[in-house]
Amino acid sequence: MPDSSPLPDRISRLKEAIAGVVGARHLVTDPADLAPHLADQRGLYTGRTPFLVRPGSSAEVAEVVRLCAEARVPVVPQGGNTGLCGGATPDQSGAELLLCLGRLNRIRALDADNFTITVEAGCILSDVQRAAAEADRLFPLSLGAEGSCQIGGNLATNAGGVQVLRYGNARDLTLGLEVVLPDGQRWDGLRGLRKDNTGYDLKHLFIGAEGSLGVITAAVLKLYARPREVVTALLALPDPAAAVQVLGRARRATGEAVTSFELMPRIGLEMAVTHVEGCTDPLAQAHPWYALIELYGGQEQGQLGQALEAMLAEAFEAGLVSDAAIAQNAQQAAAFWRLREGLVEAQKHEGGSIKHDVSVPVSKVPDFIAAAAAEAQRRLPGIRPVPFGHVGDGNIHFNLSQPPGMDRQAFLALWGEMSTAVHDIVAGFDGSFSAEHGVGRLKVEEAVRLKPAVEIEMMRRVKRAFDPHGLMNPGKVVTPEA
Amino acid sequence: MPDSSPLPDRISRLKEAIAGVVGARHLVTDPADLAPHLADQRGLYTGRTPFLVRPGSSAEVAEVVRLCAEARVPVVPQGGNTGLCGGATPDQSGAELLLCLGRLNRIRALDADNFTITVEAGCILSDVQRAAAEADRLFPLSLGAEGSCQIGGNLATNAGGVQVLRYGNARDLTLGLEVVLPDGQRWDGLRGLRKDNTGYDLKHLFIGAEGSLGVITAAVLKLYARPREVVTALLALPDPAAAVQVLGRARRATGEAVTSFELMPRIGLEMAVTHVEGCTDPLAQAHPWYALIELYGGQEQGQLGQALEAMLAEAFEAGLVSDAAIAQNAQQAAAFWRLREGLVEAQKHEGGSIKHDVSVPVSKVPDFIAAAAAEAQRRLPGIRPVPFGHVGDGNIHFNLSQPPGMDRQAFLALWGEMSTAVHDIVAGFDGSFSAEHGVGRLKVEEAVRLKPAVEIEMMRRVKRAFDPHGLMNPGKVVTPEA
């Protein structure tokens, strides 16, 4: 029977009961200790919570969630708190309990012959990568926050990153899950199978649901052979259309060995060179566009570099590539990647930036960039589009730097209007208004505005079927009908 | 308002209304024309239907399903009718309408630069493969029935086949879906995006649901670069444990270029050579086990063959490979594949066969085969296990040929008992009782017996959320609680 006494009484009793489950020292109430958990990465949201709980096992997570369900107290799961859409921040009510998974940080098993690793939700992504490498295997999920994000959060948000082109999103790397449902039942779906057609594939509901259908506590992840050869090159290109053609040729010429293909405009490279330590202009001349390409191969002195060179020679003849530098060693490869990462960092030094994480079909990237840049410049002359990112996945981080000299706050006040315009253009190209960052709290209304009504209706049906009382991460991803 | 008049009246009015939608000539009632649609591929089930309807577009499918929902008449979707678990056969009630998708057979679009193809549900799989090849692309889904199965059925059953190791199951090849829901609403989820994190990934609910949540009418599928080099080899192995080790070494040595890795026991190869035209013993001596390995590469005269040879030389030194033949041309490669396919055909000439489509973690394949073979032989001395299949996916077709001379029917009468025993062993190795063939009608009870109770409960919640009146392919995959 649900407890229907006043909220403060319920929370007080709940706290006592949860302390009995996890131990009082794993409850956090000190404001200084809570603060980093109550604001999101970008500073868009700040919330409140009666207390934060750190269970130490999936059994404890299940018991905590069961107690919360009984008390009808909502739960907000949180991993490394590196999300960009406010999906892990409680609201301002002070009634939402914060559930942190960081103590569930064991690697439960690594089966090299099955090419799988079984990890708990609180494992740091880079620790998972390292454990795989130590067993001569590759866990290919790789993204900026990998040193602090937790794998449970990566799965809850279906993280993407720089190797999706070859290895897929977090979803595609997952074979099995352990999940605590909103009523506290625990589902052991930790299967390490490549083929399992025994009913609805429920793991795909929880992956990308941002904790709104249950709490992921562990997962079986796919591993791959660790590459013996890594080839990294920086290409100069006349335009994004050439990038799309070169990508297709590279996939073909290397037998699908391309792991990353990152587009950068000249303006972004200049920002990196200007503002970020260790970034230098890599080629003799300036070019309007660049692509960073990386390939993984199986042989120490393989033909991969030669295959890439032969493809580039043909692309040069065809006018698709203007210049190129193939990294001769790991340091040069790192320098190319520093430009790509530096471009993100550098934008902070150029004033306000209105950001979009969008995707379109790869074939439509050039037209999308042209149309969205033109529209932004029409709305605000002097605005500086810095479109960059994972063109191999059609995923463009369409960032708009403010006109030099403009007031930063006045510029950022245009965020809503600019975003609506950019997302409308994305929709016109059959694209997505959130390619890899998720919906969280930031894009709940945008989802309702842009997705087919029947799709929102189906999401609501699923939410009701799994969480009839609306207690799991309320207000995120999908909200009940108004 | 649902129509609550007697069933014959409702069906009669429904027929008239549907004829108005699709045209009377696309309704089938002649018993001779109906017969091939009323029995399943294996002859396990025969059903009845008031009539069969062949809509010509997804709009017509939607209108037909809406009319059925209003009349509360159940619908059984059917593609190429090549399934092995009775998932596309109506029951004996005579009340279930048969909905055939064969007229929805257009390839709507092929976007070579986006590496995608958009197809309607009724397209034959081999036609999709051919359209991709004509655009210099690869659609890698490949399986025995590809000349007659329809892509809609492949998606509804999450088909597997012989290239899952590298390219994944049908699910992994799907970017977007168009679906008609049980109430007749049409969902346009035909997105061709590699990254799209805008809420629950609903396409994964419909893929593998065998038509029990809605009717898939079209899909956007992933394409890959067409290989310029195909290397095929037949390896002789001492035991399945060696197969697992050789697979891992091959993945590593070729940079994940392995597309197929198929295990065959000597007894299966002998059956093929004995019974199937064109099958000959490929190596000088007999060996207890064989593996067919195939690799795809990007260069016409690439190093893939050399990389494989170098790996095999090392594996030979390590005692993992006893002999090997690398195909020198397409004819030799085809001859190796003929053995693999012939092995399936040949079992029909050896009397009754009790079949299992199971999977375990790849690392556990050797112990599973040993344990299951021993248990079968303990239960029926003289029984001949013929375990073969996609060891790269841990998917073993664990078939049991009858003892020579035993009465066929007496042997087949042991099916239930043998299956229960084999599936129990599979469960002990954390495996699946249906790796690629699905649940259909055949394995509904086995799902309830072997899956976690909470997983069946979640499946029922999903079913109720999408199909509250139980009208979409009733009795398949998951049934309402007793």
Side-chain angles (χ1 to χ4, degrees):
Chain A
M1 278 298 292
D3 188 336
S4 59
S5 53
L7 186 67
D9 295 355
R10 276 186 286 149
I11 285 180
S12 164
R13 280 197 299 274
L14 179 64
K15 193 170 163 186
E16 200 171 316
I18 287 178
V21 172
V22 303
R25 68 199 176 96
H26 297 300
L27 263 53
V28 179
T29 50
D30 181 85
D33 295 337
L34 282 178
H37 298 278
L38 292 175
D40 76 303
Q41 165 89 4
R42 280 184 169 161
L44 299 174
Y45 302 102
T46 307
R48 294 170 57 226
T49 189
F51 59 97
L52 178 161
V53 55
R54 299 182 180 281
S57 67
S58 51
E60 287 185 9
V61 173
E63 187 57 14
V64 167
V65 171
R66 193 188 65 75
L67 290 167
C68 290
E70 261 184 20
R72 293 282 193 271
V73 168
V75 176
V76 178
Q78 190 177 88
N81 198 21
T82 62
L84 300 174
C85 297
T89 310
D91 69 10
Q92 271 292 335
S93 70
E96 298 181 354
L97 194 152
L98 202 45
L99 179 73
C100 287
L101 280 299
R103 287 180 64 220
L104 279 75
N105 61 357
R106 286 185 313 135
I107 289 175
R108 289 196 194 162
L110 191 150
D111 183 343
D113 286 340
N114 194 39
F115 287 73
T116 50
I117 188 167
T118 306
V119 300
E120 292 185 342
C123 289
I124 304 293
L125 173 52
S126 57
D127 290 340
V128 180
Q129 296 167 344
R130 194 171 309 118
E134 282 167 8
D136 199 26
R137 295 288 179 261
L138 171 75
F139 181 61
L141 188 67
S142 177
L143 47 101
E146 63 195 28
S148 62
C149 63
Q150 295 174 9
I151 192 71
N154 296 143
L155 295 172
T157 57
N158 186 29
V162 291
Q163 301 195 144
V164 171
L165 171 55
R166 176 148 178 201
Y167 298 103
N169 296 286
R171 173 186 305 290
D172 305 295
L173 298 171
T174 307
L175 293 176
L177 287 184
E178 179 187 76
V179 178
V180 170
L181 302 183
D183 61 6
Q185 286 189 89
R186 187 156 45 132
W187 173 44
D188 179 358
L190 283 178
R191 297 188 278 260
L193 304 173
R194 258 93 189 159
K195 286 182 175 168
D196 177 27
N197 278 345
T198 56
Y200 307 152
D201 197 328
L202 300 165
K203 70 173 177 288
H204 284 300
L205 271 182
F206 297 104
I207 299 170
E210 306 184 35
S212 67
L213 299 176
V215 184
I216 295 171
T217 51
V220 184
L221 305 171
K222 279 189 205 170
L223 302 178
Y224 285 85
R226 202 150 74 102
R228 283 182 179 145
E229 184 183 19
V230 177
V231 177
T232 312
L234 193 83
L235 318 180
L237 306 161
D239 51 40
V244 171
Q245 294 307 313
V246 171
L247 169 65
R249 287 172 178 231
R251 291 181 64 169
R252 178 84 202 268
T254 65
E256 294 286 5
V258 184
T259 51
S260 297
F261 196 90
E262 300 285 309
L263 186 71
M264 296 180 278
R266 176 71 196 169
I267 184 177
L269 189 124
E270 279 174 3
M271 287 178 178
V273 169
T274 305
H275 297 294
V276 180
E277 177 92 21
C279 285
T280 51
D281 209 335
L283 300 171
Q285 289 184 293
H287 299 272
W289 293 89
Y290 300 84
L292 192 166
I293 183 171
E294 195 158 89
L295 307 109
Y296 281 2
Q299 299 165 267
E300 270 162 47
Q301 293 293 326
Q303 285 182 319
L304 216 45
Q306 294 164 42
L308 179 64
E309 277 185 58
M311 184 281 289
L312 288 174
E314 282 180 32
F316 187 84
E317 285 300 310
L320 296 170
V321 169
S322 320
D323 195 2
I326 299 185
Q328 297 303 307
N329 51 50
Q331 285 68 35
Q332 283 184 21
F336 294 162
W337 276 107
R338 201 175 302 126
L339 284 171
R340 166 64 179 81
E341 301 303 336
L343 182 158
V344 180
E345 173 67 20
Q347 286 171 69
K348 295 178 190 164
H349 301 274
E350 293 280 340
S353 177
I354 296 176
K355 299 172 194 293
H356 306 90
D357 165 44
V358 301
S359 66
V360 293
V362 175
S363 52
K364 295 179 178 175
V365 164
D367 288 348
F368 160 69
I369 289 178
E375 177 63 15
Q377 281 157 339
R378 190 186 69 76
R379 286 174 177 263
L380 184 67
I383 199 169
R384 294 170 298 164
V386 189
F388 69 96
H390 324 291
V391 73
D393 317 315
N395 176 196
I396 301 299
H397 296 302
F398 191 80
N399 291 1
L400 296 162
S401 278
Q402 67 170 71
M406 183 176 176
D407 177 72
R408 184 189 159 88
Q409 288 312 316
F411 175 72
L412 290 178
L414 301 173
W415 193 305
E417 176 201 327
M418 280 290 176
S419 270
T420 301
V422 169
H423 290 169
D424 285 347
I425 292 169
V426 167
F429 287 104
D430 302 321
S432 167
F433 61 90
S434 196
E436 54 177 12
H437 295 167
V439 176
R441 221 157 119 181
L442 184 61
K443 300 183 183 171
V444 171
E445 289 82 18
E446 204 63 345
V448 172
R449 187 174 80 86
L450 291 168
K451 288 175 86 82
V454 64
E455 195 168 331
I456 296 289
E457 183 196 325
M458 286 192 282
M459 284 169 57
R460 285 179 173 144
R461 286 195 213 174
V462 169
K463 173 74 174 171
R464 276 196 302 269
F466 281 80
D467 182 21
H469 305 296
L471 297 174
M472 289 305 305
N473 213 6
K476 317 295 166 57
V477 189
V478 64
T479 49
E481 205 151 2
Chain B
M1 279 298 294
D3 187 337
S4 59
S5 53
L7 187 65
D9 296 354
R10 276 186 284 150
I11 284 181
S12 165
R13 281 196 299 273
L14 180 64
K15 193 171 164 185
E16 201 171 316
I18 288 179
V21 172
V22 303
R25 67 198 177 95
H26 298 300
L27 263 54
V28 179
T29 50
D30 182 85
D33 295 337
L34 281 177
H37 298 277
L38 292 175
D40 75 304
Q41 165 89 4
R42 279 184 170 161
L44 299 174
Y45 303 101
T46 307
R48 294 169 58 226
T49 189
F51 59 96
L52 178 161
V53 56
R54 298 182 181 281
S57 67
S58 51
E60 287 185 9
V61 173
E63 187 56 15
V64 167
V65 170
R66 193 188 64 77
L67 289 166
C68 290
E70 260 183 23
R72 294 281 193 271
V73 168
V75 176
V76 178
Q78 190 177 89
N81 198 21
T82 61
L84 300 173
C85 296
T89 309
D91 70 11
Q92 271 291 336
S93 70
E96 298 182 353
L97 193 152
L98 204 43
L99 178 73
C100 287
L101 281 299
R103 287 180 64 221
L104 278 75
N105 61 357
R106 287 186 313 136
I107 290 174
R108 289 195 194 163
L110 191 150
D111 183 343
D113 287 339
N114 194 39
F115 286 74
T116 50
I117 188 168
T118 306
V119 300
E120 293 185 341
C123 289
I124 304 293
L125 173 53
S126 57
D127 290 340
V128 180
Q129 294 167 344
R130 194 172 308 118
E134 282 167 8
D136 198 27
R137 294 289 180 261
L138 171 75
F139 181 61
L141 188 67
S142 178
L143 47 99
E146 63 195 26
S148 61
C149 63
Q150 295 174 9
I151 192 72
N154 297 143
L155 294 173
T157 58
N158 186 29
V162 292
Q163 300 196 144
V164 171
L165 170 55
R166 176 149 178 201
Y167 299 103
N169 296 283
R171 173 185 307 288
D172 305 295
L173 298 171
T174 307
L175 293 176
L177 288 184
E178 180 188 74
V179 178
V180 171
L181 301 184
D183 62 5
Q185 286 190 88
R186 189 156 44 132
W187 172 45
D188 179 357
L190 284 178
R191 297 188 278 259
L193 304 173
R194 258 90 189 160
K195 286 183 175 168
D196 177 25
N197 279 344
T198 56
Y200 307 151
D201 197 329
L202 300 164
K203 69 173 178 290
H204 284 300
L205 271 182
F206 298 104
I207 299 170
E210 306 184 35
S212 67
L213 298 177
V215 184
I216 295 171
T217 51
V220 184
L221 305 171
K222 279 187 206 171
L223 302 178
Y224 285 86
R226 202 150 74 101
R228 283 181 177 146
E229 183 183 18
V230 177
V231 178
T232 313
L234 194 83
L235 318 180
L237 305 162
D239 51 40
V244 171
Q245 293 307 313
V246 171
L247 169 65
R249 286 173 177 230
R251 292 182 63 170
R252 178 84 203 266
T254 64
E256 294 286 4
V258 184
T259 52
S260 297
F261 196 92
E262 299 285 309
L263 186 70
M264 297 180 277
R266 176 70 197 172
I267 184 177
L269 189 127
E270 279 175 1
M271 286 178 178
V273 169
T274 305
H275 298 293
V276 181
E277 179 92 21
C279 284
T280 52
D281 208 334
L283 299 171
Q285 289 184 295
H287 299 272
W289 293 89
Y290 300 85
L292 193 167
I293 183 171
E294 195 159 89
L295 308 109
Y296 281 2
Q299 298 164 268
E300 270 162 43
Q301 294 292 328
Q303 284 182 322
L304 216 44
Q306 294 164 40
L308 180 64
E309 278 185 57
M311 185 281 290
L312 287 174
E314 281 179 32
F316 187 85
E317 285 301 309
L320 296 170
V321 170
S322 320
D323 196 2
I326 299 184
Q328 297 304 307
N329 52 49
Q331 286 69 38
Q332 284 185 19
F336 295 161
W337 276 107
R338 201 175 301 125
L339 285 170
R340 165 65 180 83
E341 301 303 336
L343 182 160
V344 180
E345 172 68 20
Q347 286 171 67
K348 295 177 188 162
H349 300 275
E350 293 280 340
S353 177
I354 296 175
K355 298 173 194 295
H356 305 91
D357 166 42
V358 301
S359 66
V360 294
V362 175
S363 53
K364 294 180 179 174
V365 164
D367 288 347
F368 160 71
I369 289 178
E375 178 62 17
Q377 282 158 337
R378 192 186 68 75
R379 286 173 177 265
L380 183 68
I383 199 169
R384 294 170 298 165
V386 190
F388 70 96
H390 325 291
V391 72
D393 317 314
N395 176 196
I396 301 299
H397 296 301
F398 191 81
N399 290 1
L400 296 163
S401 277
Q402 66 169 73
M406 183 176 176
D407 177 71
R408 182 188 159 90
Q409 288 312 318
F411 175 72
L412 291 178
L414 301 174
W415 193 306
E417 176 200 328
M418 281 290 177
S419 270
T420 301
V422 169
H423 290 169
D424 284 347
I425 292 169
V426 167
F429 287 104
D430 301 321
S432 166
F433 61 90
S434 196
E436 55 177 11
H437 295 167
V439 175
R441 219 157 119 182
L442 183 63
K443 299 182 184 172
V444 172
E445 289 82 18
E446 203 64 345
V448 173
R449 187 173 80 85
L450 290 169
K451 287 175 88 80
V454 65
E455 195 168 333
I456 297 290
E457 184 197 325
M458 285 192 283
M459 285 170 58
R460 285 179 173 144
R461 286 194 212 173
V462 169
K463 173 75 173 170
R464 277 195 303 268
F466 281 79
D467 182 21
H469 305 295
L471 297 173
M472 289 305 305
N473 212 6
K476 317 294 167 56
V477 188
V478 64
T479 50
E481 204 150 3

